Amino acid sequence: MTTALITGATSGIGAAFARRLATEGHNLVLVARDVERLREHATELHDRHRVEAEVLQADLASDHGIEAVEKRLSDRRQPVDLLVNNAGFGQKGAFLDVPVEDELVMLKVHCEAVLRLTTAAVAGMRTRGRGGVVNVASTAAFVPRGTYGASKAWVVQFTQGVARDVGQYGLRLMALCPGFVRTEFHERAGMGTDNIPGWMWLDADKVVTAALADLARGKTISIPDPRYKALMGAAKLAPRGLLGGITSKAGRKYGPVHPDGV
């Protein structure tokens, strides 16, 4: 049985990855800040699917939290075969409305943590000649969207570059770029979503199904829905100035605050 490590594993896309991989018989290492939710989720997955579900409490906004996950990924006695870097958050507000300290925390979680955890995982995978990494980005990576979009664009470029470098060793890396996904996040944050068109919402479990299929096909970018594929294709043709105005307004209105996944 292989083992998958998932950050931001207690809700949303992270929880959906955990459910799907447990269903397929993979052992799990679940990473998040909320240890009680982690334990509840781990117990449920173990009891339902008879897999091992290890709990690792870590805040990836801190060096200590990143180091704890690096250590687990580097454990040769309990190798991790699939890493899902899902933890992340966004800032609600235009540039300068958000304290620069908060922007730096976002970059630490979205960029530094992804870099360090991918490095720790891939080092062992290369030695074993197998393994995969899914770095969760966003369709915001392809449009002007402030620090959030810039950090997700970094995730996409980083993932594609590493995929080329380590593909010869039998490893697969992929950036997952979903749009709006229905989770409990918006309700917890007290954010209204009534103005977001219903067709723009995706189901987390379907996103994960599409992502794992794309990973198996060897894709380095996964946009897991035909609607968003069409939108991103149109975005390539639209003037950047127009896109910047639209996405900036959407970010101020709909942009997430800190979810539980960090």
Side-chain angles (χ1 to χ4, degrees):
M1 297 174 69
T2 59
T3 298
L5 186 148
I6 305 164
T7 68
T10 56
S11 64
I13 294 174
F17 265 110
R19 289 192 297 270
R20 175 58 185 266
L21 292 168
T23 300
E24 295 180 353
H26 299 276
N27 291 326
L28 303 170
V29 182
L30 307 178
V31 180
R33 294 179 301 176
D34 189 331
V35 68
E36 292 304 320
R37 293 190 68 180
L38 278 172
R39 288 170 178 163
E40 291 174 5
H41 196 34
T43 299
E44 179 184 355
L45 292 171
H46 173 268
D47 292 347
R48 179 172 298 181
H49 302 291
R50 314 314 300 175
V51 297
E52 296 300 319
E54 179 184 340
V55 165
L56 177 54
Q57 182 184 23
D59 182 355
L60 299 184
S62 71
D63 284 327
H64 178 73
I66 296 174
E67 289 165 3
V69 185
E70 284 177 316
K71 182 178 179 180
R72 178 61 184 85
L73 289 167
S74 302
D75 188 346
R76 296 185 178 182
R77 297 169 300 173
Q78 304 177 81
V80 170
D81 306 281
L82 175 65
L83 166 64
V84 180
N85 276 314
N86 169 70
F89 65 93
Q91 309 284 10
K92 184 178 181 180
F95 187 65
L96 295 184
D97 291 341
V98 178
V100 69
E101 294 81 8
D102 291 347
E103 299 276 40
L104 289 170
V105 172
M106 180 195 291
L107 292 176
K108 191 172 190 71
V109 175
H110 289 184
C111 300
E112 181 180 341
V114 169
L115 168 63
R116 290 171 60 178
L117 299 189
T118 299
T119 301
V122 166
M125 292 175 182
R126 183 175 66 174
T127 300
R128 296 189 298 274
R130 67 179 188 278
V133 178
V134 176
N135 291 326
V136 179
S138 167
T139 52
F142 307 113
V143 295
R145 178 60 185 87
T147 305
Y148 180 81
S151 68
K152 293 302 185 180
W154 181 90
V155 171
V156 171
Q157 293 293 321
F158 167 74
T159 303
Q160 288 189 293
V162 176
R164 286 192 294 268
D165 289 343
V166 303
Q168 60 183 307
Y169 302 107
L171 312 187
R172 295 183 178 183
L173 279 83
M174 185 184 78
L176 171 59
C177 302
F180 288 105
V181 181
R182 289 199 181 277
T183 69
E184 64 185 53
F185 160 70
H186 293 91
E187 181 179 351
R188 291 203 314 270
M191 295 168 56
T193 58
D194 293 342
N195 291 328
I196 301 176
W199 64 266
M200 294 188 73
W201 288 103
L202 304 177
D203 175 77
D205 291 306
K206 292 181 179 178
V207 166
V208 168
T209 296
L212 291 174
D214 283 344
L215 182 67
R217 295 186 188 105
K219 290 189 176 183
T220 58
I221 294 181
S222 174
I223 301 176
D225 186 89
R227 293 164 291 182
Y228 278 98
K229 286 184 174 72
L231 281 175
M232 293 305 101
K236 292 179 181 179
L237 303 176
R240 300 294 287 179
L242 175 62
L243 279 176
I246 294 173
T247 58
S248 178
K249 291 178 182 178
R252 287 195 293 270
K253 191 164 188 178
Y254 307 126
V257 202
H258 293 260
D260 183 61
V262 178

